[in-house]
Amino acid sequence: MAAQRRDQAEPVPPWWDEQLRDLAATGGNDDPGVLTGWASREGLDRADALRAAVDVLALVESLPPIAVLRPPPGSTGAAIPRAAGTARSGSPMLDRVRALLAKAESTTFPAEAEALTGKAQELIARHSIDEALLAGGAERGDLPGGVRLSTDTPYAGAKALLVQEVAAANRCEAVWSDDLGFATVLGWPADLVAVEVLYTSLLVQATAAMLRGRAERRPGSGRRTKVWDESFLNAFALRIGERLRAATEAATEAAAEAADQAAVESDRLLPVLAARGEAVRERLETLFPGVTRHRLSVRDADGWSSGTSAADRAALDVGGGRKPRQVPGRPDRR
């Protein structure tokens, strides 16, 4: 990938270089030296390195096709940063959100975690509204982008549900590819970054709360740990989604009131948000026609109750559960 980047004609979209940096795959590798350099770093001899490379190529060739979320480098539209699907990763607002969520993850006080996560969602919602109004005043012709978030085992269904809830609260759509181990989130750049940051933090918070709740269970309370954990995480995801959506709705109402008081065209806000939401739904229908709903079952009432309580203590304030969408043709495994 680094060699491909070196040979790629400019301009290259910013997200390409960002992902290479995340993989520590930057540098001026020469084609003949890529495999040799990797083998040396990994302590492999040439035969093992070649075997690994062939195995990887065979795996890649066998993978099923997936939706193309962003124009690849060298193709039409690839160099448009705002259509690429990510917002500016180093913005001051995003730095503040990350700092708030880091504190929420580390605190041992549930009320503090709730306040910190709620403040983070409030900042995100306000920023999203500002971005929407800014984009609504320009003729750009952009399409919503997308990101993929891991929903690996264990409890992949609960993780997919958490992605769905966080996405819905931030005006995005989510589709779960359960056999591939990820959920695809579609939306506008600032909203996609928000979903990615929030999902990562809330997954940490949910896991920590689950482990604490598991330790507090009465000895001999019955159901298997896995069943309890799964019910806990499903309940956590639904309740967090409710609270996130409430924070977003409050921020939208506050923005509309502020526009009224400032004698600004407040009637612009809701149409702009509605138009952006419709564009995301159209993108969903284009990339994933005929998606289905995947039913999640709850088999432990105690786990469900504990998960709901943990979500109430951990992050925001809200209602309304959803089931994660699933790519057509994937069997319901529950």
Side-chain angles (χ1 to χ4, degrees):
M1 292 172 68
Q4 183 186 24
R5 169 64 180 91
R6 181 204 63 195
D7 297 335
Q8 181 64 55
E10 297 289 345
V12 171
W15 57 263
W16 184 257
D17 286 334
E18 288 175 5
Q19 291 192 8
L20 285 177
R21 281 194 295 271
D22 290 342
L23 293 170
T26 53
N29 295 323
D30 295 327
D31 287 343
V34 172
L35 185 61
T36 302
W38 173 76
S40 176
R41 290 192 299 274
E42 297 296 321
L44 300 173
D45 60 30
R46 183 168 179 79
D48 287 339
L50 283 171
R51 188 177 298 109
V54 171
D55 287 345
V56 169
L57 289 173
L59 173 62
V60 170
E61 283 297 313
S62 69
L63 292 175
I66 58 175
V68 177
L69 302 183
R70 317 176 192 179
S75 62
T76 303
I80 303 175
R82 296 300 291 273
T86 56
R88 299 180 299 276
S89 57
S91 70
M93 184 283 301
L94 202 55
D95 290 340
R96 289 182 64 193
V97 167
R98 287 195 175 107
L100 287 167
L101 293 175
K103 290 181 180 179
E105 293 166 22
S106 62
T107 184
T108 57
F109 299 101
E112 184 180 15
E114 175 183 346
L116 291 166
T117 311
K119 182 62 176 177
Q121 177 63 28
E122 181 184 336
L123 287 174
I124 285 169
R126 288 180 180 174
H127 180 68
S128 174
I129 291 168
D130 291 342
E131 290 278 307
L133 289 173
L134 187 63
E139 295 293 332
R140 299 188 55 91
D142 289 354
L143 289 175
V147 295
R148 294 186 176 95
L149 301 178
S150 173
T151 56
D152 52 358
T153 56
Y155 315 121
K159 292 174 183 177
L161 184 60
L162 182 59
V163 172
Q164 174 88 16
E165 292 297 306
V166 176
N170 288 280
R171 303 187 178 91
C172 295
E173 299 283 352
V175 176
W176 180 33
S177 301
D178 63 332
D179 55 345
L180 297 178
F182 60 70
T184 302
V185 181
L186 303 174
W188 296 97
D191 299 331
L192 291 175
V193 173
V195 171
E196 191 166 6
V197 171
L198 272 171
Y199 169 67
T200 302
S201 175
L202 287 170
L203 191 56
V204 171
Q205 294 186 49
T207 302
M210 180 188 73
L211 294 175
R212 287 195 301 269
R214 187 194 293 173
E216 294 168 359
R217 293 180 69 194
R218 298 188 308 275
S221 55
R223 304 303 292 268
R224 291 172 295 141
T225 297
K226 183 177 180 180
V227 174
W228 187 91
D229 288 352
E230 195 170 52
S231 298
F232 180 101
L233 292 173
N234 284 338
F236 186 98
L238 289 173
R239 182 57 179 156
I240 283 294
E242 293 175 350
R243 305 177 75 188
L244 288 169
R245 286 193 293 277
T248 298
E249 290 166 8
T252 303
E253 291 174 3
E257 290 177 5
D260 278 335
Q261 293 172 1
V264 177
E265 296 179 65
S266 59
D267 57 351
R268 241 181 92 226
L269 175 60
L270 294 182
V272 165
L273 293 178
R276 285 165 71 87
E278 182 60 29
V280 174
R281 286 187 290 275
E282 289 177 0
R283 186 76 168 146
L284 172 71
E285 292 169 2
T286 300
L287 293 178
F288 301 99
V291 291
T292 62
R293 293 282 180 178
H294 183 82
R295 184 172 297 280
L296 299 175
S297 60
V298 176
R299 294 176 286 173
D300 191 303
D302 182 51
W304 179 269
S305 176
S306 296
T308 302
S309 298
D312 280 335
R313 295 193 304 266
L316 325 199
D317 239 326
V318 210
R322 292 171 172 242
K323 303 165 190 171
R325 290 188 183 87
Q326 191 177 21
V327 174
R330 314 294 187 209
D332 186 334
R333 297 183 177 179
R334 289 176 182 264

